[in-house]
Amino acid sequence: MKQYRSIGLLIIRVGIGISYIVLHGWSKLTGGPEYWEAIGRNMSHLGITFVPGFWGFMCAFSETFGALLLALGLFFRPAATLLAITMCVAVVSHLANDEGWQVAAHALHMAMVFCGFIFTGPGRFSLDAYLNRRKSVTTAYPLMPLKRGLATTRR
């Protein structure tokens, strides 16, 4: 079953990434500055009260573009970190607003998933893995020309 691990990560990455864009991020991103400011005010639960519009935009940005990067497997760990932080703030916000664990549970579960992604990585079927493979080929044979993505020698 080990050979299917990367396929499983691909399915989870793409599914979560697309659902976050469609169900969470896009509506926040297109909500505009007033909406970003309202979302950003949740940072006050952590003692951060300056520029709430920026924090709200960062939430919308991470749930849209961070989720896109997650789905593509590009800059995977930074994107997962940004999303994990966003979900931790959401958990604190739900609990501080007396909404209870039932409401905070989704954000808590997703924070754990994103933290798990930080440790597992994106898997073999990701842009990060593809770029690392290309980089290792070009650095292993820096003076040899590349032909169709493979290092070849002239005879």
Side-chain angles (χ1 to χ4, degrees):
M1 293 306 265
K2 189 176 180 179
Q3 71 264 22
Y4 300 116
R5 183 176 296 151
S6 286
I7 293 172
L9 282 169
L10 173 68
I11 292 167
I12 295 167
R13 263 192 10 247
V14 171
I16 289 175
I18 290 172
S19 71
Y20 254 78
I21 293 167
V22 172
L23 300 175
H24 299 281
W26 188 251
S27 62
K28 287 181 180 118
L29 192 64
T30 58
E34 297 85 21
Y35 191 53
W36 299 337
E37 194 162 322
I39 294 169
R41 282 193 206 103
N42 288 313
M43 293 295 285
S44 66
H45 300 299
L46 299 172
I48 300 171
T49 57
F50 58 94
V51 289
F54 169 76
W55 298 113
F57 173 77
M58 287 307 295
C59 171
F61 179 86
S62 71
E63 289 184 2
T64 305
F65 295 106
L68 177 64
L69 292 172
L70 191 89
L72 295 172
L74 182 63
F75 302 114
F76 183 78
R77 286 187 168 100
T81 302
L82 196 60
L83 285 161
I85 292 168
T86 302
M87 291 300 100
C88 288
V89 171
V91 169
V92 169
S93 175
H94 288 307
L95 295 176
N97 291 331
D98 290 327
E99 296 172 2
W101 284 104
Q102 284 295 105
V103 176
H106 173 71
L108 178 63
H109 296 156
M110 292 313 301
M112 288 186 262
V113 168
F114 295 134
C115 286
F117 276 156
I118 293 167
F119 290 101
T120 63
R124 208 172 60 209
F125 305 115
S126 66
L127 288 177
D128 279 349
Y130 172 76
L131 294 173
N132 282 336
R133 283 191 300 270
R134 291 215 20 123
K135 182 179 172 185
S136 67
V137 168
T138 57
T139 56
Y141 305 99
L143 300 177
M144 296 182 186
L146 290 176
K147 183 175 184 179
R148 295 188 185 165
L150 301 174
T152 58
T153 59
R154 294 182 193 203
R155 295 182 188 220

